[in-house]
Structures are given as C-alpha cells and as structure tokens.
Amino acid sequence: MSIAIDQSITKPLIYKYKNICRSPIAEAVLIYLIEKQYLCTLWYVDSAALGEGHVDSLPDPRAIQTLRKHSAARYLHRARQIHPSDFVKYDYIFGMDLNNISALKSQAKEVQNSKAKILLLGDYDPQGERIIRDPYNDDDLNGFEQCYQQCMRCCNAFLEQNPHTTG
C-alpha cells in the first residue's frame, strides 16, 4: 500500500543494509530533533534496508536501549526494504558508509525520474567522522552509544543546514 505524502514536506530516508541498528538510530534521532523543534508537519522521516533478511524486524534491542537512555525511542519502527519508488518519493537518502552510497547510487541509476540526493550522513559531522560507527557485532552498548552520538551531531548539522521554510 502506497502512502501519499504532501509534496511540501521535506522527506529524508535513512538507509543501511539490515535496517536494525544504525539506520533506525539515525531515524529516531532525526525524528526526535524535528519534534523538539515542533516541525513534525514539515518533515517525513523513514529508514530502509538493502537486503530483505530483516524485513519487518524490530531494531536491535541494544539500539532501542541506547535510544531509551536518551529519551529518543518514541517511535515505532519495523525494518523494510528500499523500493525503487523511494528514489522518487524522498528528497534525501542517507547512507551510513561508502558501501551504502555505492549500492544506493547503483540502484538509483535503474530508477526513472530519481530525484533523491544520495548523501553520506557522516558528511554532516562537525567532528569529521564520515562513517557512522556500525555496532552490530559489538558485545556491549559502547558502539551503540558512539553511533547515537554521531547520529545526533550529523542530524543536528543537517537540520541546521537544511531548515524547512514554508515560503
């Protein structure tokens, strides 16, 4: 089922291979920051995966735990696979690392009327950490915390550089 989204809304999509760690953290952080600025009606944020292996899965429990620690877990997320229409529907598609960017650009070439700007989320990091830390194989929460902090810096900078104006 396709959801119609107002064309005046800014639409970023966060992308990662499995859509259960980094991308839902970045999605939750961006939603949190948008809500904090009372801009919910001006933005539509989502995340998606390349692979279908985790479709309909909840985020990794460690990602949820990290988001709860920072009061940024007030959203419902189920992993979904990226769809060709996402390249037309979304204004921005953010990858977490260079492999993501390569896969996204390859997919975008196959989509007629692709308009999404494919960007590395880490390019917005004021500390210059371009690759968002992948904590998936970690045994503790330290990598998830680092990922959260990177996403917070990057999403803050993205919103500062891309304020939504109504006219």
PDB file of all heavy atoms in Angstrom, residues 134-151:
ATOM      1  N   ASP A 134      29.370   1.215  13.059  1.00  0.00           N
ATOM      2  CA  ASP A 134      28.471   0.061  12.985  1.00  0.00           C
ATOM      3  C   ASP A 134      28.676  -0.806  14.223  1.00  0.00           C
ATOM      4  O   ASP A 134      29.675  -1.496  14.355  1.00  0.00           O
ATOM      5  CB  ASP A 134      28.736  -0.765  11.735  1.00  0.00           C
ATOM      6  CG  ASP A 134      27.717  -1.867  11.533  1.00  0.00           C
ATOM      7  OD1 ASP A 134      26.849  -2.077  12.413  1.00  0.00           O
ATOM      8  OD2 ASP A 134      27.772  -2.534  10.481  1.00  0.00           O
ATOM      9  N   PRO A 135      27.721  -0.798  15.157  1.00  0.00           N
ATOM     10  CA  PRO A 135      27.885  -1.529  16.412  1.00  0.00           C
ATOM     11  C   PRO A 135      27.311  -2.952  16.382  1.00  0.00           C
ATOM     12  O   PRO A 135      27.303  -3.632  17.403  1.00  0.00           O
ATOM     13  CB  PRO A 135      27.095  -0.666  17.395  1.00  0.00           C
ATOM     14  CG  PRO A 135      25.972  -0.131  16.566  1.00  0.00           C
ATOM     15  CD  PRO A 135      26.563   0.085  15.188  1.00  0.00           C
ATOM     16  N   TYR A 136      26.845  -3.411  15.229  1.00  0.00           N
ATOM     17  CA  TYR A 136      26.103  -4.675  15.139  1.00  0.00           C
ATOM     18  C   TYR A 136      26.824  -5.848  15.801  1.00  0.00           C
ATOM     19  O   TYR A 136      26.211  -6.636  16.509  1.00  0.00           O
ATOM     20  CB  TYR A 136      25.782  -5.002  13.678  1.00  0.00           C
ATOM     21  CG  TYR A 136      24.988  -6.265  13.508  1.00  0.00           C
ATOM     22  CD1 TYR A 136      23.646  -6.323  13.884  1.00  0.00           C
ATOM     23  CD2 TYR A 136      25.567  -7.411  12.974  1.00  0.00           C
ATOM     24  CE1 TYR A 136      22.901  -7.477  13.730  1.00  0.00           C
ATOM     25  CE2 TYR A 136      24.829  -8.575  12.821  1.00  0.00           C
ATOM     26  CZ  TYR A 136      23.500  -8.600  13.190  1.00  0.00           C
ATOM     27  OH  TYR A 136      22.769  -9.753  13.042  1.00  0.00           O
ATOM     28  N   ASN A 137      28.127  -5.983  15.591  1.00  0.00           N
ATOM     29  CA  ASN A 137      28.869  -7.139  16.113  1.00  0.00           C
ATOM     30  C   ASN A 137      29.481  -6.907  17.493  1.00  0.00           C
ATOM     31  O   ASN A 137      30.229  -7.744  17.986  1.00  0.00           O
ATOM     32  CB  ASN A 137      29.961  -7.558  15.126  1.00  0.00           C
ATOM     33  CG  ASN A 137      29.364  -8.125  13.862  1.00  0.00           C
ATOM     34  OD1 ASN A 137      28.431  -8.932  13.902  1.00  0.00           O
ATOM     35  ND2 ASN A 137      29.875  -7.698  12.716  1.00  0.00           N
ATOM     36  N   ASP A 138      29.169  -5.793  18.115  1.00  0.00           N
ATOM     37  CA  ASP A 138      29.708  -5.489  19.447  1.00  0.00           C
ATOM     38  C   ASP A 138      29.037  -6.340  20.528  1.00  0.00           C
ATOM     39  O   ASP A 138      27.886  -6.746  20.382  1.00  0.00           O
ATOM     40  CB  ASP A 138      29.512  -4.015  19.789  1.00  0.00           C
ATOM     41  CG  ASP A 138      30.358  -3.099  18.926  1.00  0.00           C
ATOM     42  OD1 ASP A 138      31.065  -3.591  18.030  1.00  0.00           O
ATOM     43  OD2 ASP A 138      30.298  -1.877  19.144  1.00  0.00           O
ATOM     44  N   ASP A 139      29.755  -6.544  21.608  1.00  0.00           N
ATOM     45  CA  ASP A 139      29.229  -7.301  22.746  1.00  0.00           C
ATOM     46  C   ASP A 139      28.606  -6.417  23.826  1.00  0.00           C
ATOM     47  O   ASP A 139      28.042  -6.923  24.785  1.00  0.00           O
ATOM     48  CB  ASP A 139      30.356  -8.126  23.396  1.00  0.00           C
ATOM     49  CG  ASP A 139      30.857  -9.226  22.477  1.00  0.00           C
ATOM     50  OD1 ASP A 139      30.065  -9.714  21.639  1.00  0.00           O
ATOM     51  OD2 ASP A 139      32.039  -9.592  22.604  1.00  0.00           O
ATOM     52  N   ASP A 140      28.755  -5.103  23.663  1.00  0.00           N
ATOM     53  CA  ASP A 140      28.236  -4.196  24.686  1.00  0.00           C
ATOM     54  C   ASP A 140      27.527  -3.016  24.015  1.00  0.00           C
ATOM     55  O   ASP A 140      27.283  -3.036  22.815  1.00  0.00           O
ATOM     56  CB  ASP A 140      29.352  -3.723  25.611  1.00  0.00           C
ATOM     57  CG  ASP A 140      30.481  -3.021  24.863  1.00  0.00           C
ATOM     58  OD1 ASP A 140      30.242  -2.503  23.741  1.00  0.00           O
ATOM     59  OD2 ASP A 140      31.593  -2.971  25.400  1.00  0.00           O
ATOM     60  N   LEU A 141      27.231  -1.997  24.794  1.00  0.00           N
ATOM     61  CA  LEU A 141      26.496  -0.834  24.286  1.00  0.00           C
ATOM     62  C   LEU A 141      27.398   0.320  23.847  1.00  0.00           C
ATOM     63  O   LEU A 141      26.900   1.322  23.329  1.00  0.00           O
ATOM     64  CB  LEU A 141      25.525  -0.328  25.357  1.00  0.00           C
ATOM     65  CG  LEU A 141      24.397  -1.270  25.749  1.00  0.00           C
ATOM     66  CD1 LEU A 141      23.605  -0.702  26.915  1.00  0.00           C
ATOM     67  CD2 LEU A 141      23.484  -1.518  24.562  1.00  0.00           C
ATOM     68  N   ASN A 142      28.701   0.197  24.036  1.00  0.00           N
ATOM     69  CA  ASN A 142      29.596   1.314  23.730  1.00  0.00           C
ATOM     70  C   ASN A 142      29.514   1.757  22.270  1.00  0.00           C
ATOM     71  O   ASN A 142      29.469   2.952  21.976  1.00  0.00           O
ATOM     72  CB  ASN A 142      31.040   0.977  24.100  1.00  0.00           C
ATOM     73  CG  ASN A 142      31.223   0.827  25.594  1.00  0.00           C
ATOM     74  OD1 ASN A 142      30.467   1.398  26.380  1.00  0.00           O
ATOM     75  ND2 ASN A 142      32.207   0.045  26.002  1.00  0.00           N
ATOM     76  N   GLY A 143      29.501   0.815  21.353  1.00  0.00           N
ATOM     77  CA  GLY A 143      29.400   1.151  19.932  1.00  0.00           C
ATOM     78  C   GLY A 143      28.063   1.781  19.586  1.00  0.00           C
ATOM     79  O   GLY A 143      27.984   2.664  18.731  1.00  0.00           O
ATOM     80  N   PHE A 144      26.994   1.338  20.260  1.00  0.00           N
ATOM     81  CA  PHE A 144      25.676   1.923  20.030  1.00  0.00           C
ATOM     82  C   PHE A 144      25.638   3.361  20.531  1.00  0.00           C
ATOM     83  O   PHE A 144      25.045   4.231  19.895  1.00  0.00           O
ATOM     84  CB  PHE A 144      24.584   1.072  20.696  1.00  0.00           C
ATOM     85  CG  PHE A 144      24.293  -0.183  19.932  1.00  0.00           C
ATOM     86  CD1 PHE A 144      25.047  -1.329  20.146  1.00  0.00           C
ATOM     87  CD2 PHE A 144      23.290  -0.213  18.979  1.00  0.00           C
ATOM     88  CE1 PHE A 144      24.801  -2.489  19.431  1.00  0.00           C
ATOM     89  CE2 PHE A 144      23.033  -1.371  18.254  1.00  0.00           C
ATOM     90  CZ  PHE A 144      23.791  -2.502  18.480  1.00  0.00           C
ATOM     91  N   GLU A 145      26.295   3.606  21.650  1.00  0.00           N
ATOM     92  CA  GLU A 145      26.387   4.973  22.180  1.00  0.00           C
ATOM     93  C   GLU A 145      27.166   5.860  21.211  1.00  0.00           C
ATOM     94  O   GLU A 145      26.762   6.994  20.938  1.00  0.00           O
ATOM     95  CB  GLU A 145      27.046   4.978  23.562  1.00  0.00           C
ATOM     96  CG  GLU A 145      27.188   6.348  24.180  1.00  0.00           C
ATOM     97  CD  GLU A 145      25.859   7.037  24.476  1.00  0.00           C
ATOM     98  OE1 GLU A 145      24.834   6.343  24.696  1.00  0.00           O
ATOM     99  OE2 GLU A 145      25.840   8.285  24.486  1.00  0.00           O
ATOM    100  N   GLN A 146      28.275   5.349  20.699  1.00  0.00           N
ATOM    101  CA  GLN A 146      29.068   6.123  19.746  1.00  0.00           C
ATOM    102  C   GLN A 146      28.241   6.407  18.490  1.00  0.00           C
ATOM    103  O   GLN A 146      28.234   7.526  17.974  1.00  0.00           O
ATOM    104  CB  GLN A 146      30.354   5.389  19.383  1.00  0.00           C
ATOM    105  CG  GLN A 146      31.239   6.185  18.445  1.00  0.00           C
ATOM    106  CD  GLN A 146      32.521   5.451  18.075  1.00  0.00           C
ATOM    107  OE1 GLN A 146      32.834   4.399  18.611  1.00  0.00           O
ATOM    108  NE2 GLN A 146      33.249   6.012  17.141  1.00  0.00           N
ATOM    109  N   CYS A 147      27.527   5.407  17.997  1.00  0.00           N
ATOM    110  CA  CYS A 147      26.655   5.574  16.835  1.00  0.00           C
ATOM    111  C   CYS A 147      25.604   6.636  17.111  1.00  0.00           C
ATOM    112  O   CYS A 147      25.362   7.528  16.285  1.00  0.00           O
ATOM    113  CB  CYS A 147      26.007   4.234  16.486  1.00  0.00           C
ATOM    114  SG  CYS A 147      24.799   4.319  15.145  1.00  0.00           S
ATOM    115  N   TYR A 148      24.983   6.579  18.281  1.00  0.00           N
ATOM    116  CA  TYR A 148      23.970   7.559  18.663  1.00  0.00           C
ATOM    117  C   TYR A 148      24.560   8.975  18.655  1.00  0.00           C
ATOM    118  O   TYR A 148      23.959   9.910  18.110  1.00  0.00           O
ATOM    119  CB  TYR A 148      23.396   7.234  20.050  1.00  0.00           C
ATOM    120  CG  TYR A 148      22.479   8.314  20.549  1.00  0.00           C
ATOM    121  CD1 TYR A 148      21.141   8.330  20.186  1.00  0.00           C
ATOM    122  CD2 TYR A 148      22.964   9.343  21.354  1.00  0.00           C
ATOM    123  CE1 TYR A 148      20.306   9.360  20.620  1.00  0.00           C
ATOM    124  CE2 TYR A 148      22.142  10.367  21.783  1.00  0.00           C
ATOM    125  CZ  TYR A 148      20.813  10.372  21.416  1.00  0.00           C
ATOM    126  OH  TYR A 148      19.997  11.387  21.829  1.00  0.00           O
ATOM    127  N   GLN A 149      25.722   9.138  19.279  1.00  0.00           N
ATOM    128  CA  GLN A 149      26.345  10.463  19.368  1.00  0.00           C
ATOM    129  C   GLN A 149      26.689  11.006  17.973  1.00  0.00           C
ATOM    130  O   GLN A 149      26.474  12.190  17.691  1.00  0.00           O
ATOM    131  CB  GLN A 149      27.589  10.423  20.262  1.00  0.00           C
ATOM    132  CG  GLN A 149      27.291  10.124  21.720  1.00  0.00           C
ATOM    133  CD  GLN A 149      26.378  11.141  22.375  1.00  0.00           C
ATOM    134  OE1 GLN A 149      26.330  12.307  21.997  1.00  0.00           O
ATOM    135  NE2 GLN A 149      25.620  10.700  23.372  1.00  0.00           N
ATOM    136  N   GLN A 150      27.206  10.127  17.108  1.00  0.00           N
ATOM    137  CA  GLN A 150      27.497  10.547  15.733  1.00  0.00           C
ATOM    138  C   GLN A 150      26.219  10.976  15.029  1.00  0.00           C
ATOM    139  O   GLN A 150      26.190  12.015  14.357  1.00  0.00           O
ATOM    140  CB  GLN A 150      28.143   9.406  14.944  1.00  0.00           C
ATOM    141  CG  GLN A 150      29.587   9.146  15.272  1.00  0.00           C
ATOM    142  CD  GLN A 150      30.096   7.994  14.439  1.00  0.00           C
ATOM    143  OE1 GLN A 150      29.888   6.835  14.782  1.00  0.00           O
ATOM    144  NE2 GLN A 150      30.746   8.304  13.340  1.00  0.00           N
ATOM    145  N   CYS A 151      25.170  10.177  15.153  1.00  0.00           N
ATOM    146  CA  CYS A 151      23.894  10.499  14.500  1.00  0.00           C
ATOM    147  C   CYS A 151      23.325  11.806  15.035  1.00  0.00           C
ATOM    148  O   CYS A 151      22.784  12.610  14.269  1.00  0.00           O
ATOM    149  CB  CYS A 151      22.891   9.361  14.678  1.00  0.00           C
ATOM    150  SG  CYS A 151      23.301   7.879  13.716  1.00  0.00           S
TER     151      CYS A 151
END
